[in-house]
Amino acid sequence: MTSWTTAYLEDCLDALLDYRGKSPKKAPTGIPVLSAKVVKTDGLLRPIEQTIAPDYYKEWMVRGLPAVSDVVMTTEAPLGEVIQLDDESATYALGQRIVCMRGKEGVLDSTYLRYALVSPQQQANLAASATGTTVLGISQKALRRIEISFPDFAEQRRIGGLLAKVDDKIELNRRMNETLEEMARALFRDWFVDFGPTRRQMEGAPDPAAIMGHAFPASRAAELAPLFPAKLGEDGLPEEWVSRALGDTVTVKRGGSPRPIKDFIRPSGIPWVKIADATRCNGPNLFVTREFIKEEGLKKTVELQPGSLILSNSATPGLPKFLRLRACIHDGWLYFPDTGGLSNEFLYLAFLHFKEAIVSQATGSVFNNLKTDVLKRQKFVFPPDQVLAVFDGVVGPLFEKILANEQENQTLAEMRDLLLPKLMSGEIRLKDAEECAE
């Protein structure tokens, strides 16, 4: 077996960029800022809302510039989330509660460092060197003196390359899902917000393909175009379409929480969905939770089955997710026991599109809370059932592919997480891990 070396982290780095101490000046648009809010080991949380002005970048980034393959780690709230920079994210600015590290050539491979830092052993080392009562944080001095174990440089590159190959496939699936979801959102906007097919007829579109915005093959467009009225009514809607409050069609209810909740939380049991579980998800589907509730708490909460649609109403209001597990939701979630014939996919897209309008009505001194009545009063445009059925037939396969990609990502992540600690400890040979990955 390859011999392993243990050394202090600072002796293995060519660069450690630390911009803690103050925050960069924000701008409405510009260069995205990496911070502990968006850096997650599962992938950057997008969209990144904090930005700085391009002409301020050089003024701010005076301690050194990040490079492709550098490793970024959160140092507080939370501690130990890790990503590796690519061509895009390496151009971002560095913000609060993170550090950026670059392995020393020939000593510590940066990709190996990325995976070493998220291994259980290294996460335990970070926690042991951290301080804080409410949240754990690690100083630069303590981080530099963290010990790290590694094999020879060539072996590091092979280990890092194998694990990165798995993560590259996960990232490819994630990007594909972003494209698929944007396709569904664009179709929702065109049909139910902009009334594109009707407006294009009014503007003299010459054929069904043009009426449907050239989004479908000619034969399919010929089937779809006749479903859309040729003009708008006096109310500004396509003829025979109506606008009504969501609550007139959909039953909206709130989850529930047994009190005090800490007495009902357990290491295992029925999954307990927290807002944090949802904000960690890059996609529309929620597969896992970090906490569980015991059976005695079921009478005072709401248990939902896989496939249910939920919408957050506190902390981060207006966030829709499809549950892919049997789970309980607290009173920070809304759910929809009767959708009045509307598909969950239609509602999901509607909530995303009208999120800003819905959330703007949330109130609260500590957290924004979206009251059930506010959502019930939100107006939506409803076409004839035939149009809704056709829409579901178009976007349904898109969401099915998104789900399949996310399920594959779950399997890939589980395999990676199984191999990672064994590779980082030298417990299994690289050849065996490669065969497992294949």
Side-chain angles (χ1 to χ4, degrees):
M1 181 178 291
T2 302
S3 61
W4 285 60
T5 300
T6 299
Y8 291 124
L9 183 60
E10 66 177 352
D11 295 330
C12 306
L13 298 178
D14 272 336
L16 194 158
L17 309 180
D18 190 343
Y19 281 80
R20 289 178 289 175
K22 62 176 183 176
S23 298
K25 292 186 298 186
K26 297 180 182 178
T29 59
I31 298 174
V33 177
L34 295 176
S35 68
K37 183 178 180 180
V38 299
V39 170
K40 305 295 178 185
T41 301
D42 293 336
L44 277 177
L45 288 185
R46 303 173 187 270
I48 299 175
E49 297 176 354
Q50 184 181 358
T51 56
I52 62 173
D55 58 1
Y56 176 65
Y57 179 83
K58 288 185 178 180
E59 178 184 342
W60 170 251
M61 298 291 291
V62 293
R63 300 179 187 174
L65 300 178
V68 175
S69 296
D70 282 0
V71 176
V72 171
M73 187 187 80
T74 62
T75 58
E76 181 185 353
L79 169 65
E81 299 280 350
V82 180
I83 63 167
Q84 190 169 20
L85 301 182
D86 57 19
D87 290 337
E88 178 186 355
S89 55
T91 66
Y92 295 171
L94 302 178
Q96 283 284 56
R97 307 199 311 275
I98 63 169
V99 293
C100 179
M101 295 172 280
R102 188 176 307 142
K104 185 176 293 185
E105 182 64 30
V107 177
L108 182 62
D109 177 64
S110 289
T111 302
Y112 177 89
L113 171 63
R114 164 192 177 182
Y115 291 105
L117 289 172
V118 299
S119 68
Q121 179 60 49
Q122 210 61 46
Q123 288 281 302
N125 290 344
L126 289 170
S129 300
T131 58
T133 53
T134 305
V135 293
L136 288 179
I138 190 167
S139 67
Q140 184 184 136
K141 180 179 179 180
L143 178 62
R144 287 180 174 276
R145 303 300 286 176
I146 288 285
E147 290 188 340
I148 183 169
S149 297
F150 47 87
D152 65 68
F153 194 71
E155 187 80 352
Q156 291 176 46
R157 298 192 72 171
R158 290 180 63 199
I159 291 173
L162 172 63
L163 295 172
K165 186 182 296 186
V166 178
D167 273 327
D168 286 347
K169 174 58 177 172
I170 291 174
E171 178 65 10
L172 179 63
N173 284 344
R174 186 193 66 78
R175 289 182 180 269
M176 183 188 302
N177 283 355
E178 282 185 348
T179 301
L180 293 170
E181 183 170 314
E182 182 50 42
M183 290 169 61
R185 295 178 69 172
L187 192 67
F188 180 90
R189 287 193 301 270
D190 186 50
W191 287 19
F192 305 122
V193 179
D194 300 332
F195 313 130
T198 295
R199 292 188 183 279
R200 286 188 284 270
Q201 290 183 73
M202 296 172 64
E203 294 166 359
D207 55 54
I211 291 172
M212 300 310 299
H214 299 286
F216 299 91
S219 59
R220 182 62 170 149
E223 298 173 0
L224 297 177
L227 299 176
F228 294 86
K231 61 180 180 179
L232 300 176
E234 293 182 359
D235 57 2
L237 304 179
E239 292 181 331
E240 298 185 10
W241 291 33
V242 297
S243 174
R244 60 176 179 265
L246 181 70
D248 293 340
T249 300
V250 177
T251 301
V252 181
K253 290 193 173 183
R254 187 184 298 271
S257 300
R259 307 290 186 192
I261 185 58
K262 63 180 179 64
D263 291 346
F264 295 88
I265 296 299
R266 293 290 183 269
S268 62
I270 301 172
W272 176 246
V273 182
K274 301 185 71 172
I275 305 297
D277 296 319
T279 56
R280 291 182 64 88
C281 296
N282 280 310
N285 298 292
L286 195 157
F287 293 93
V288 296
T289 65
R290 293 192 167 190
E291 292 185 349
F292 301 85
I293 191 170
K294 63 181 182 179
E295 293 279 350
E296 291 86 338
L298 291 182
K299 294 181 180 179
K300 295 186 178 181
T301 185
V302 173
E303 182 183 355
L304 297 178
Q305 297 303 313
S308 300
L309 178 67
I310 56 176
L311 181 73
S312 60
N313 64 32
S314 67
T316 307
L319 179 65
K321 291 292 176 182
F322 297 106
L323 282 182
R324 296 304 175 187
L325 69 169
R326 175 196 174 204
C328 291
I329 58 170
H330 54 63
D331 49 12
W333 291 101
L334 302 178
Y335 69 106
F336 313 95
D338 184 355
T339 63
L342 298 174
S343 68
N344 280 343
E345 289 76 15
F346 177 88
L347 286 176
Y348 174 85
L349 293 168
F351 292 149
L352 284 181
H353 184 84
F354 294 104
K355 180 180 178 180
E356 185 175 341
I358 294 171
V359 172
S360 68
Q361 302 174 70
T363 60
S365 55
V366 179
F367 293 112
N368 279 340
N369 290 291
L370 178 62
K371 294 183 178 179
T372 304
D373 288 344
V374 169
L375 188 63
K376 289 180 179 179
R377 290 195 301 267
Q378 178 66 40
K379 291 292 187 71
F380 290 85
V381 173
F382 293 90
D385 290 344
Q386 188 177 9
V387 176
L388 285 172
V390 170
F391 178 77
D392 291 342
V394 174
V395 302
L398 300 181
F399 280 98
E400 288 174 4
K401 180 59 177 175
I402 289 173
L403 176 58
N405 284 341
E406 290 194 342
Q407 288 172 328
E408 181 179 38
N409 279 359
Q410 290 289 310
T411 301
L412 290 169
E414 289 170 2
M415 179 184 69
R416 177 203 61 206
D417 294 344
L418 176 66
L419 293 177
L420 191 151
K422 297 180 182 297
L423 284 168
M424 292 300 162
S425 65
E427 181 181 339
I428 64 172
R429 296 181 305 164
L430 181 60
K431 182 179 179 181
D432 293 335
E434 289 172 333
E435 292 175 354
C436 177
E438 290 298 329

